[in-house]
Amino acid sequence: MFDILMYLFENYIHNESEIFVEESVLTDELLKAGFNSPEIYKALDWLEQLAQLQYSDESPYLDRTPAAACRIYTGEESIKLDIQCQGFLLFLEQVGVINSTTREMVIDRAMALDHAQIALDDLKWVVLMVLLSVPGQEHAYAQMEDLIFDDPNPTLH
């Protein structure tokens, strides 16, 4: 499923900010690219759920978190997002790339991936997809792109 999300991100989302292709046409193209149907539907559902997170008035991710709050990960989250991933999310929040709302959206979407554990590089792509999907986060998206593409081994202070 993650490979499909990457394919969509690189070929559609990154360039146009939204997928304007009809789902059946997109599904056909993904099938021709060699992806299987169950994984395609999982990936499209993942993207749909991401869109619902940002547009829901009742979203649990509305930014109501006090500035000094500390995120405590559940047991399941700690297994899927190791200490390196958790530290990276904390770093992104501390430098202002993400806020508590986008952090929770990233965690939600990472937990929805069908991986037992999420690699740091995969988490970075999830962060990019979330930031690209949230209106008004263009500067944060650009910062995240710089972190990923400009310096392969950034120094975290």
Side-chain angles (χ1 to χ4, degrees), residues 64-90:
R64 297 184 194 118
T65 308
C70 178
R71 174 62 155 86
I72 306 295
Y73 290 82
T74 67
E76 185 181 346
E77 291 169 342
S78 293
I79 292 169
K80 199 161 200 167
L81 299 168
D82 66 13
I83 197 72
Q84 189 178 20
C85 289
Q86 293 174 33
F88 185 71
L89 289 175
L90 178 61

Side-chain angles (χ1 to χ4, degrees), residues 126-145:
V126 172
V127 172
L128 273 176
M129 288 184 232
V130 168
L131 290 174
L132 188 61
S133 74
V134 177
Q137 294 296 318
E138 293 80 12
H139 181 69
Y141 175 82
Q143 287 178 298
M144 188 63 200
E145 260 190 331

Side-chain angles (χ1 to χ4, degrees), residues 4-124:
I4 296 169
L5 291 170
M6 293 301 305
Y7 179 89
L8 292 173
F9 182 79
E10 291 172 355
N11 292 292
Y12 291 95
I13 301 170
H14 184 275
N15 298 325
E16 300 179 19
S17 296
E18 287 189 44
I19 297 176
F20 293 110
V21 180
E22 193 172 316
E23 186 174 326
S24 62
V25 173
L26 187 59
T27 301
D28 289 343
E29 181 180 329
L30 291 169
L31 286 168
K32 288 177 187 171
F35 298 110
N36 64 43
S37 294
E39 294 299 310
I40 292 170
Y41 294 121
K42 284 181 191 176
L44 295 176
D45 184 55
W46 190 94
L47 288 170
E48 185 177 319
Q49 289 177 20
L50 174 59
Q52 289 174 354
L53 286 178
Q54 76 178 21
Y55 293 116
S56 172
D57 290 337
E58 299 172 11
S59 173
Y61 306 113
L62 293 176
D63 198 3
R64 297 184 194 118
T65 308
C70 178
R71 174 62 155 86
I72 306 295
Y73 290 82
T74 67
E76 185 181 346
E77 291 169 342
S78 293
I79 292 169
K80 199 161 200 167
L81 299 168
D82 66 13
I83 197 72
Q84 189 178 20
C85 289
Q86 293 174 33
F88 185 71
L89 289 175
L90 178 61
F91 165 74
L92 291 178
E93 197 169 358
Q94 288 174 339
V95 297
V97 173
I98 62 174
N99 58 31
S100 61
T101 301
T102 49
R103 177 199 64 220
E104 292 305 313
M105 291 173 74
V106 168
I107 293 169
D108 180 88
R109 296 296 73 217
M111 295 302 293
L113 292 173
D114 55 359
H115 291 37
Q117 287 189 308
I118 304 298
L120 181 59
D121 286 339
D122 293 345
L123 180 66
K124 289 176 181 179

